[in-house]
Amino acid sequence: MVDITHKITTLREATAEAIVKTSSQATIDAIQNNEVPKGNVFEMAKAAGLLGVKKTPDLLPDCHPLPIEYTGIDYEIDGLDIIISTTVKTIYKTGVEVEAMHGASVVALTMYDMLKPIDKSVEIGTIRLKSKKGGKSSYKLNSEGLTADVVVCSDTISKGKGEDRAGEAIVEKLKVLGVASQKSIIPDDAGEIIKKVENTTADLLIFTGGTGVGPRDVTPQTLEPMLDIKLKGVEEQMRSYGQNRMPYAMFSRSIAGIKNGKLILALPGSTKGAAESMDAIFPHVLHAFKVIEGKRHD
């Protein structure tokens, strides 16, 4: 099963469609007049469809079990065709396209089973995904032309006594996003941090290290007074994401804010902490540049 532990939870929605084709108006009349021998077609098929949505991960091996928080099944009669629309919603890490399509399929199969005694030519037509939203494709952000400075704050690494992995992890994640970046290493020193902020020409300045509670962890208290705007929601998202994965994340003092139109972040110095903080807020945090330009939220 595909690993989705790095993903963030969002509202996901998908609508699927299936078509049941009858061969005569008599079949349609029997459905509408509740005269089908096996019972009320619409109600029976709807009940089956609800079960189909819930049972999707039991039948499809790579489908993740997830909380189904809404399922809506609607019908439309178009001539001799019955158009089935199934909408599924969840607040989770992965989408519900397969659940919606499976639900629509089960509705169609139930209708077929109930109608075949009175219509030997009934058949199931197209089953397709009509729409989906809430995943990565719903929050497309243009990172073209954006640049980043990645700054590793570490006494040990700056003295050549340790190897940087956190900074490299950040650089790799920026590369995937299409953001050009360069990396530098400085000691845990307030003066050096201030110089980086004052001299950067990049759109995005990311510090890693010095966000804990040790005697040399000075990154947050150095950066905070320099920010024009603090992005508290971004900070909360990083800590919440980390806390869901390991208890010590509560000690992180990660920082996010804006100065002179530039986005400034301070992430943990551990490789895992830095990588998880990136997963927590990217690519969505790049929306800040759209807002900085004065454009409205979508």
Side-chain angles (χ1 to χ4, degrees), residues 239-250 270 272-273 276:
R239 275 186 282 276
S240 174
Y241 186 95
Q243 187 66 31
N244 284 332
R245 286 155 178 81
M246 70 96 68
Y248 299 153
M250 70 175 118
S270 71
K272 190 172 183 180
E276 288 183 349

Side-chain angles (χ1 to χ4, degrees), residues 211-231:
T211 61
V213 294
R216 293 286 291 168
D217 291 329
V218 298
T219 306
Q221 56 264 43
T222 303
L223 289 176
E224 278 189 307
M226 302 181 72
L227 298 175
D228 299 327
I229 300 172
K230 279 200 70 179
L231 300 176

Side-chain angles (χ1 to χ4, degrees), residues 89-103:
K89 295 181 183 180
T90 186
I91 299 177
Y92 199 59
K93 302 173 186 177
T94 189
V96 284
E97 301 97 311
V98 175
E99 285 78 4
M101 293 181 71
H102 187 230

Side-chain angles (χ1 to χ4, degrees), residues 58-80:
D58 293 342
L59 299 173
L60 301 179
D62 196 42
C63 193
H64 293 83
L66 47 76
I68 301 298
E69 296 176 278
Y70 171 80
T71 299
I73 297 173
D74 297 302
Y75 305 107
E76 178 187 347
I77 296 175
D78 182 12
L80 300 182

Side-chain angles (χ1 to χ4, degrees), residues 21-266:
K21 297 177 176 291
T22 68
S23 65
S24 70
Q25 185 61 42
T27 303
I28 297 296
D29 292 342
I31 295 169
Q32 292 180 315
N33 296 328
N34 196 18
E35 295 174 347
V36 176
K38 286 193 173 185
N40 188 300
V41 173
F42 285 154
E43 291 304 317
M44 288 285 285
K46 180 177 181 180
L50 295 175
L51 287 173
V53 169
K54 295 176 183 178
K55 291 291 185 180
T56 303
D58 293 342
L59 299 173
L60 301 179
D62 196 42
C63 193
H64 293 83
L66 47 76
I68 301 298
E69 296 176 278
Y70 171 80
T71 299
I73 297 173
D74 297 302
Y75 305 107
E76 178 187 347
I77 296 175
D78 182 12
L80 300 182
D81 294 345
I82 303 170
I83 302 171
I84 303 157
S85 179
T86 303
T87 297
V88 181
K89 295 181 183 180
T90 186
I91 299 177
Y92 199 59
K93 302 173 186 177
T94 189
V96 284
E97 301 97 311
V98 175
E99 285 78 4
M101 293 181 71
H102 187 230
S105 302
V106 172
V107 172
L109 283 167
T110 303
M111 284 189 171
Y112 177 90
D113 179 62
M114 296 184 73
L115 295 175
K116 65 182 180 180
I118 65 171
D119 189 341
K120 300 303 182 183
S121 298
V122 66
E123 63 180 53
I124 296 173
T126 303
I127 299 171
R128 68 186 184 97
L129 179 68
K130 280 186 68 178
S131 64
K132 67 171 185 173
K133 60 182 179 179
K136 193 181 295 183
S137 60
S138 296
Y139 300 100
K140 288 183 178 178
L141 293 160
N142 184 14
S143 60
E144 185 178 353
L146 290 179
T147 59
D149 279 344
V150 178
V151 182
V152 178
C153 300
S154 169
D155 291 334
T156 302
I157 296 173
S158 66
K159 293 175 182 177
K161 297 180 180 179
E163 180 183 353
D164 167 56
R165 292 189 179 91
E168 287 299 313
I170 294 170
V171 168
E172 282 302 310
K173 289 185 178 291
L174 290 172
K175 184 178 179 181
V176 172
L177 294 168
V179 178
S181 64
Q182 60 180 6
K183 187 187 80 170
S184 59
I185 299 171
I186 62 173
D188 289 303
D189 180 79
E192 293 292 328
I193 293 170
I194 291 170
K195 285 180 185 177
K196 287 293 182 181
V197 175
E198 292 177 340
N199 296 330
T200 186
T201 58
D203 305 294
L204 180 60
L205 179 58
I206 305 178
F207 292 90
T208 174
T211 61
V213 294
R216 293 286 291 168
D217 291 329
V218 298
T219 306
Q221 56 264 43
T222 303
L223 289 176
E224 278 189 307
M226 302 181 72
L227 298 175
D228 299 327
I229 300 172
K230 279 200 70 179
L231 300 176
K232 294 183 179 180
V234 177
E235 297 173 359
E236 291 165 5
Q237 172 64 10
M238 286 190 282
R239 275 186 282 276
S240 174
Y241 186 95
Q243 187 66 31
N244 284 332
R245 286 155 178 81
M246 70 96 68
Y248 299 153
M250 70 175 118
F251 292 105
S252 174
R253 295 185 295 140
S254 298
I255 292 291
I258 296 169
K259 179 176 175 59
N260 297 331
K262 301 180 184 301
L263 181 60
I264 298 178
L265 304 171

